[in-house]
Amino acid sequence: VTPLKADHAKGLDPVIFIIEKDDKAILYAHDTGYFLDETWEYIEKSNIKFNKKVFFMLRRYIKMRAVITVVGKDTVGILAKVSTFCAEHDVNVVDVSQTILQDMFCMIMMCDISAIDCPFGTFVDEAAAIGDRNNLKVHVMHEDIFNSMHRI
């Protein structure tokens, strides 16, 4: 059994496992985060005989998306600050809806996080910190979690 680092939540040390016996191996990946680069590198360099091509196709071609919500008192530059933050982390904003309700700014962004340059949990924490510095509530949620929360 080989534990590999996962990306789940700040302050935790989650792992996923490769379980090997004789000439067979399975990947037991039960974490809600995405594989860290070091985990991908381990899989790529290993001599494990599972279909690695599938893993690298997934990593390269699956569109991973996140929903970012921003709420707070309207000020100049909110959209610019959040979209700049996304660009700095190779997160592509693919759709935006925003409105001003009286003096409250409300925005929802759909973002492609396939090429994100840091662990997703780090991105979530940094986005919240930008919100705190600007008197906003900035919440980032993976699209899969968002969709699961809104199913009946």
Side-chain angles (χ1 to χ4, degrees), residues 46-74:
S46 73
N47 291 320
I48 298 170
K49 294 182 174 77
F50 52 74
N51 188 344
K52 292 180 201 166
K53 182 177 181 183
V54 171
F55 285 99
F56 297 105
M57 285 174 57
L58 289 174
R59 183 179 191 194
R60 195 171 195 188
Y61 297 108
I62 284 185
K63 293 290 184 193
M64 296 182 285
R65 299 190 320 174
V67 177
I68 300 175
T69 59
V70 181
V71 177
K73 186 165 176 45
D74 186 33

Side-chain angles (χ1 to χ4, degrees), residues 62-66 89-95 110-116:
I62 284 185
K63 293 290 184 193
M64 296 182 285
R65 299 190 320 174
H89 288 288
D90 296 326
V91 170
N92 185 34
V93 177
V94 295
D95 200 1
M110 181 62 71
C111 298
D112 180 347
I113 57 171
S114 301
I116 194 169

Side-chain angles (χ1 to χ4, degrees), residues 3-18:
L4 300 171
K5 286 186 179 182
D7 175 25
H8 179 71
K10 185 177 179 181
L12 299 177
D13 293 318
V15 293
I16 59 175
F17 300 94
I18 293 178

Side-chain angles (χ1 to χ4, degrees), residues 56-145:
F56 297 105
M57 285 174 57
L58 289 174
R59 183 179 191 194
R60 195 171 195 188
Y61 297 108
I62 284 185
K63 293 290 184 193
M64 296 182 285
R65 299 190 320 174
V67 177
I68 300 175
T69 59
V70 181
V71 177
K73 186 165 176 45
D74 186 33
T75 58
V76 173
I78 296 172
L79 174 60
K81 288 174 187 169
V82 177
S83 59
T84 297
F85 166 73
C86 290
E88 289 170 348
H89 288 288
D90 296 326
V91 170
N92 185 34
V93 177
V94 295
D95 200 1
V96 177
S97 175
Q98 70 177 49
T99 192
I100 310 297
L101 301 172
Q102 295 181 10
D103 65 343
M104 294 298 291
F105 178 88
C106 304
M107 177 172 68
I108 300 172
M109 303 173 101
M110 181 62 71
C111 298
D112 180 347
I113 57 171
S114 301
I116 194 169
D117 70 353
C118 64
F120 185 69
T122 300
F123 183 79
V124 170
D125 293 341
E126 289 180 11
I130 284 175
D132 292 343
R133 287 192 302 274
N134 292 281
N135 296 314
L136 302 165
K137 287 295 179 191
V138 178
H139 183 72
V140 181
M141 183 181 299
H142 191 277
E143 180 186 33
D144 293 343
I145 303 299

